[in-house]
Amino acid sequence: DLAFSQDAFVHSLSKLVTFTEAYRITKPGGAFVFCDLMCGDNPDLTAQELAEFASRNRINDWLTPQQVVRTCELAGWKDVKFVDLTTDLRISFHLMLKKVTFILEHGDMGYGAPNQKNRVLLMNYRDSICHRITQIDRGVFKWGVIHSRKPVCMELACKPPVPFNKTNHLILQNKGGFQEAEEKNKEQETASNTKEVNVLVVDILQKINKEKIESLPSTIKLLITMSAGLDHIDLKACASKGIVVKQSGRDAITSHVVQYTLSFLILGLRDALNQLGVPFPSSGWNLNWNCDGKPLTNATIAIVGMGIIAKTLVEEIRKLAPDTRIVYHVPPTMREFDAESKLNLEYMTDLKELAQVCDVLVPLCPLTKHTEHLINQDVIANLKPEAGLINMSRGKVVDTDALTSALESKSIKYAILDTTFPEPLPSTHALWSMDNCYIFPHYATNTMAVREALVNEIQPIIEDHFGLGHSDERRKAEEKTLRYDLAIAHRLTVEYGMDMLVWNHISARFRTGRLITPGRKMWSKITPEDLVYSSSNDTANVIHDAIYMTRPDVKAIIHLHTPAAVAISCLECGFQPMSRDSAYFYGKVANYEWDGLSADADEAPLIASAVNAVEGCNTLLIHNHGFACFGSSVRKAWILAYYFEKCCEVQLRVMQSGGAIRHPSKLVMAQAAKDSYLPEYAPGAQEWEALCDLIPSFN
C-alpha cells in the first residue's frame, strides 16, 4: 500500500532504477513517500562546489527537487509533489546549535562541564552545524518530502454504449481491441509507463470463462461488467485468481427492471394486453362492459428469488397495495427474515405449493446451474388456470417446452416474457403465434439512462476499489451505516446494564482499519460521529488488532467486563454451557491467561494463538479480566455478548443453588449448536431491528 524511505535514496546510484523498483512493489492506487536531501537550485553555485558537497557526503545521482519529480514521473508515478522542508531543517539546526553552545558555555545540566575530549567533539559538532546552516543559506541543498501515487490502468475489452470520459488522472486507459487500428496509433494517453493492466471492463457479450480468466495477466485485480447479470462470468475462477467482480449501473438497472416488471404485473393481472384487439368504438360498445381481470390489491404475487431487484419490486408494490399477499421462494439457507418482517412477505419452501396459491409467478433469480429450468413442468402444472407467468430472469430459468405446452393447452392464462431460451426464439417457434404469450425483446434496461449509468459508474468503482479518493460515496455510505450500528451497540450496552462508565470498547473493521470506542465518554452519550479510527487505550488496540489479524472473517468485536462473565472468568472451571441459550458458545469459547494490562504488543501473538486454538471461536474469555465476543457484523457480535453474559448468569445461579448439576449431553449440545446458526436463529437475525427501536434516533 505504501513504499516509504527516510534519507536513504540520496546514496542510490540511479534514482530512476530506485523509483522504478518502488513502483514495482506498490499496489495500484498505492503511495510512494520519501524524505531526502536534494541538490540546491541556486544559479550562483558552481558545479565544482556542488560536486565537492556530493563527494564529501557520498551522494550519487545528485538531482534537484524538480529533477527528482520528473524522474518519479518517468518511473510511472503520478501526482508527484515536492514538499520543501528546508526552512524547517534550518530551524532544527539552529536549535541544535543553541543547545551545543549552551553546553560549551554552561555545561550539561546534571553532568557538569564537558571534559576536554568531549569539548573538542562538541566544538567540531558546532562548527559542522554552522557550516550546514551556511550551506542552506547559500542554497547548496534542499531537504523535503516527495509524495506520489501509483496510477491504475484499465482496459475496455468492449466498446462502451456511450463514450467513456474519465476525469481522474490517476486512472490510465489502455486502449482495448475494439478500436480501429488507426485510432490506436493516435498519440493519446496510454498505460505504457505502467507496464501492467489492473482493471478489465467487459459487457454481457464477452463470455469470461475459466480459460480466459486463467489467461489474464496476474496484475488484473478488478473485473467490471456493464450488465445486470453475471452468468457470462465464471465467478469461481475469478475468486480463485483473486479477481474482484463488480457491476456498474446497478441502481439504474434495478430501477428500470422494477418499473418494467411492475407495469407487466398490473397489465397482466388486469388482462389488459388481451384488450389490445378489442374494437373501439364498435356497435354495441359501452362503458358498462367488463373483462376478466384482477386488481393488484386483490392478487397473490409469487416471486422466485429475493435479491435487490426483487426486494425493490416488493417495496414498490407495497406503495400501491400495502395489503397484497406476496409469497416468495429461495433456498432455506438464503431466507430473508428481515425482508419478511419489513415487507410483510410469506416464505414458502416448496415451489409447487407456491405456484398453487399465486395469481402471477415472477422468476427474479440469477441463472446458475441450480436455477436452470427451475420453473419446470411440475411447477407450471401447479399454476391455476387463471394464473400468469412473467419471466424477468434469464430465459433458461424457465423450461421453454413446458411453458409452450401449458400455453397451448390453456392450462395457464398468459405468459409475458422479456427473455427466452433460446434467445432469440427461432422464427418458427410456436410461442410467436400464441395469443396468450407476449414476447418482448429483452429490453428491460435498454434506455439511454441505463447505458449512461453503465459507463459513468466505471470510474467511481475503480476509485472506490483502489482508494483513489475521488468518488467515495459508497465508502461514505458504508462508514455511515457502520458508525450507526456501533453507536446503537454502545447505547444498547448501557440499556441492558452491561457498560462500565467510559471503559471497555466495541470496534468494527472498516476497509484497512477499524472504528472503535472513543474513550473518555459515557456510552449513553456516544453518537455515530464519536467513533474513532484508533483508541487512546492501548489494551483496546492490542486485543482488537490481535483478533482481527488472526481472523479475517471477523468484522466486529465487543470487549466487556460484565459482572457475571467476570465472575466466571475467575472460576477454575471456566465457562460451562448448561442451557439451550449457551448453544451459541458450545465448543467456541477460547481461554486466555490475563497478564496485567494487556497493553503490550508482545501479547498480540499469544491472544491470536488462543483464538486459533478453538475452531470457529466466537468468544475469548480472559481469566480474571473479562471477555470479548466477535462476529461478521456489529449486530452479531453484540447479540453474542448479550447472550454470553446471560449464560454466565445462569451458570452462577445453578452453582449457587448447591444442587447436583445436570449437564446436557454432548450430542444434544452439538446439534443445538448447529441449529443455533441456521438463518432464522443466527445471532441478530431476529433481535437487532427490534433492539434498534429501543434507542432514540440520532440527530
Side-chain angles (χ1 to χ4, degrees):
D1 296 303
L2 171 68
F4 175 79
S5 174
Q6 178 181 337
D7 299 326
F9 294 157
V10 68
H11 304 297
S12 66
L13 296 175
S14 167
K15 299 293 189 294
L16 181 60
V17 171
T18 300
F19 300 161
T20 302
E21 175 64 7
Y23 188 97
R24 184 187 68 81
I25 65 170
T26 304
K27 294 177 183 177
F32 178 35
V33 181
F34 64 92
C35 56
D36 224 327
L37 203 65
M38 301 173 206
C39 184
D41 51 9
N42 183 356
D44 296 332
L45 292 171
T46 65
Q48 181 180 356
E49 187 174 0
L50 290 173
E52 286 177 357
F53 180 88
S55 175
R56 189 177 299 115
N57 292 280
R58 300 180 184 178
I59 297 172
N60 299 303
D61 201 10
W62 187 223
L63 304 178
T64 65
Q66 294 76 17
Q67 290 171 326
V68 171
V69 168
R70 179 56 186 152
T71 306
C72 282
E73 292 171 342
L74 288 173
W77 295 100
K78 291 284 184 181
D79 215 10
V80 186
K81 297 181 178 68
F82 171 66
V83 183
D84 191 346
L85 297 174
T86 310
T87 301
D88 300 76
L89 187 66
R90 189 179 188 279
I91 293 170
S92 179
F93 279 140
H94 270 289
L95 290 171
M96 285 189 276
L97 179 61
K98 184 177 180 180
K99 184 174 183 179
V100 171
T101 303
F102 180 88
I103 295 172
L104 286 171
E105 293 178 357
H106 305 287
D108 195 4
M109 294 298 183
Y111 295 96
N115 59 36
Q116 186 59 33
K117 181 180 178 182
N118 287 341
R119 187 173 182 81
V120 170
L121 290 173
L122 284 169
M123 291 173 67
N124 290 338
Y125 186 40
R126 179 192 60 189
D127 294 343
S128 177
I129 293 172
C130 290
H131 188 52
R132 284 283 182 261
I133 293 172
T134 301
Q135 289 172 331
I136 290 175
D137 292 340
R138 281 183 49 73
V140 174
F141 65 83
K142 285 184 176 292
W143 186 83
V145 172
I146 293 286
H147 183 282
S148 58
R149 296 290 298 272
K150 182 172 181 175
V152 175
C153 178
M154 60 161 284
E155 181 173 307
L156 291 166
C158 57
K159 187 171 184 176
V162 298
F164 172 66
N165 298 312
K166 70 178 185 66
T167 58
N168 191 326
H169 63 282
L170 290 176
I171 299 175
L172 304 183
Q173 184 176 346
N174 188 37
K175 299 301 180 181
F178 64 87
Q179 289 97 346
E180 298 295 331
E182 59 268 22
E183 185 182 349
K184 287 185 185 181
N185 293 330
K186 289 179 183 177
E187 187 173 347
Q188 52 188 311
E189 182 186 37
T190 67
S192 59
N193 281 341
T194 68
K195 309 178 184 66
E196 59 186 40
V197 175
N198 314 118
V199 183
L200 186 66
V201 181
V202 301
D203 63 15
I204 192 70
L205 299 179
Q206 271 83 41
K207 303 302 178 186
I208 313 298
N209 55 28
K210 183 179 180 181
E211 290 72 25
K212 283 189 178 180
I213 292 166
E214 289 177 346
S215 67
L216 291 175
S218 60
T219 55
I220 291 181
K221 300 300 179 185
L222 177 64
L223 179 66
I224 300 175
T225 177
M226 297 184 288
S227 64
L230 292 168
D231 47 289
H232 59 300
I233 299 172
D234 190 326
L235 298 177
K236 188 175 180 181
C238 284
S240 66
K241 193 161 182 174
I243 298 174
V244 175
V245 179
K246 294 192 176 182
Q247 296 164 278
S248 63
R250 286 296 299 159
D251 292 343
I253 288 169
T254 298
S255 174
H256 277 63
V257 173
V258 166
Q259 294 175 35
Y260 189 66
T261 308
L262 185 59
S263 66
F264 285 151
L265 270 172
I266 295 171
L267 290 171
L269 286 167
R270 290 290 302 275
D271 199 28
L273 294 173
N274 274 331
Q275 311 318 313
L276 292 172
V278 173
F280 169 69
S282 65
S283 175
W285 183 92
N286 62 68
L287 286 171
N288 292 324
W289 78 288
N290 295 309
C291 69
D292 294 330
K294 182 177 286 191
L296 185 65
T297 49
N298 294 355
T300 297
I301 299 165
I303 299 174
V304 179
M306 196 45 64
I308 184 64
I309 292 177
K311 287 178 187 173
T312 308
L313 174 63
V314 174
E315 289 171 357
E316 294 302 310
I317 293 171
R318 286 287 175 239
K319 293 175 184 176
L320 298 173
D323 299 322
T324 290
R325 186 185 182 196
I326 304 177
V327 296
Y328 82 104
H329 169 82
V330 292
T333 56
M334 299 173 67
R335 187 173 172 182
E336 292 280 352
F337 290 95
D338 285 348
E340 287 176 29
S341 60
K342 284 183 179 178
L343 301 173
N344 189 21
L345 299 176
E346 296 179 38
Y347 174 70
M348 301 189 75
T349 56
D350 191 291
L351 260 178
K352 289 183 283 188
E353 291 179 11
L354 183 91
Q356 290 169 6
V357 301
C358 72
D359 295 304
V360 58
L361 178 64
V362 187
L364 276 172
C365 55
L367 176 62
T368 68
K369 63 180 181 180
H370 302 293
T371 60
E372 186 175 322
H373 286 179
L374 182 65
I375 311 303
N376 55 25
Q377 184 175 357
D378 289 342
V379 175
I380 295 172
N382 276 278
L383 288 168
K384 296 181 288 189
E386 63 273 20
L389 183 145
I390 301 174
N391 188 22
M392 300 302 299
S393 56
R394 292 287 187 247
K396 212 170 185 180
V397 170
V398 177
D399 185 333
T400 303
D401 292 340
L403 178 63
T404 303
S405 298
L407 290 170
E408 279 179 334
S409 63
K410 308 290 185 182
S411 60
I412 65 172
K413 188 170 184 177
Y414 65 90
I416 300 174
L417 309 175
D418 188 56
T419 59
T420 60
F421 183 77
E423 192 173 69
L425 283 173
S427 58
T428 57
H429 199 282
L431 287 177
W432 286 114
S433 59
M434 293 185 185
D435 58 7
N436 56 351
C437 183
Y438 308 94
I439 302 174
F440 291 81
H442 199 158
Y443 87 122
T445 60
N446 288 39
T447 68
M448 282 306 298
V450 170
R451 296 291 176 257
E452 289 170 357
L454 289 172
V455 176
N456 292 342
E457 289 186 18
I458 292 172
Q459 178 171 310
I461 289 173
I462 295 173
E463 290 172 341
D464 184 62
H465 184 79
F466 291 99
L468 300 184
H470 289 263
S471 296
D472 56 354
E473 291 305 313
R474 289 184 183 85
R475 181 190 297 263
K476 288 179 180 177
E478 181 185 346
E479 182 174 354
K480 183 179 179 180
T481 300
L482 206 54
R483 285 180 175 275
Y484 177 83
D485 281 352
L486 281 168
I488 287 287
H490 283 85
R491 299 287 186 98
L492 286 172
T493 306
V494 176
E495 183 78 15
Y496 286 91
M498 295 170 15
D499 63 317
M500 186 172 278
L501 301 180
V502 301
W503 303 104
N504 302 161
H505 18 83
I506 309 176
S507 73
R509 194 193 295 266
F510 180 63
R511 301 293 171 136
T512 57
R514 53 170 163 71
L515 291 166
I516 195 167
T517 307
R520 300 181 181 179
K521 189 162 187 174
M522 299 298 287
W523 283 28
S524 60
K525 301 294 184 182
I526 287 178
T527 66
E529 294 76 24
D530 292 326
L531 284 309
V532 296
Y533 292 104
S534 180
S535 175
S536 58
N537 186 318
D538 290 338
T539 300
N541 292 327
V542 169
I543 294 174
H544 289 243
D545 288 348
I547 296 172
Y548 284 132
M549 199 171 298
T550 195
R551 287 282 298 277
D553 60 307
V554 169
K555 306 300 181 186
I557 301 169
I558 177 168
H559 174 54
L560 299 175
H561 299 168
T562 51
V566 171
I568 292 297
S569 76
C570 297
L571 293 175
E572 192 66 38
C573 64
F575 177 74
Q576 295 184 5
M578 294 182 173
S579 62
R580 172 67 182 83
D581 293 330
S582 63
Y584 281 136
F585 310 101
Y586 182 72
K588 296 184 183 298
V589 178
N591 289 277
Y592 178 69
E593 195 66 42
W594 179 50
D595 188 21
L597 286 175
S598 297
D600 189 341
D602 292 339
E603 270 199 85
L606 302 176
I607 293 171
S609 178
V611 171
N612 283 332
V614 177
E615 185 178 355
C617 177
N618 62 21
T619 304
L620 179 68
L621 186 63
I622 306 173
H623 294 164
N624 308 96
H625 180 118
F627 73 101
C629 282
F630 31 93
S632 59
S633 66
V634 173
R635 66 175 62 189
K636 289 182 179 178
W638 192 91
I639 293 296
L640 283 171
Y642 173 84
Y643 284 125
F644 188 72
E645 172 66 5
K646 288 296 181 184
C647 291
C648 289
E649 288 180 13
V650 169
Q651 182 179 339
L652 289 174
R653 291 192 181 193
V654 170
M655 297 173 73
Q656 288 167 356
S657 72
I661 299 176
R662 180 192 296 275
H663 289 279
S665 72
K666 292 182 179 180
L667 187 63
V668 168
M669 283 305 295
Q671 185 59 46
K674 184 178 179 181
D675 294 342
S676 294
Y677 285 88
L678 290 172
E680 60 265 44
Y681 302 123
Q686 303 281 2
E687 307 97 334
W688 188 251
E689 300 300 331
L691 286 166
C692 288
D693 290 339
L694 297 176
I695 307 300
S697 59
F698 300 101
N699 291 329

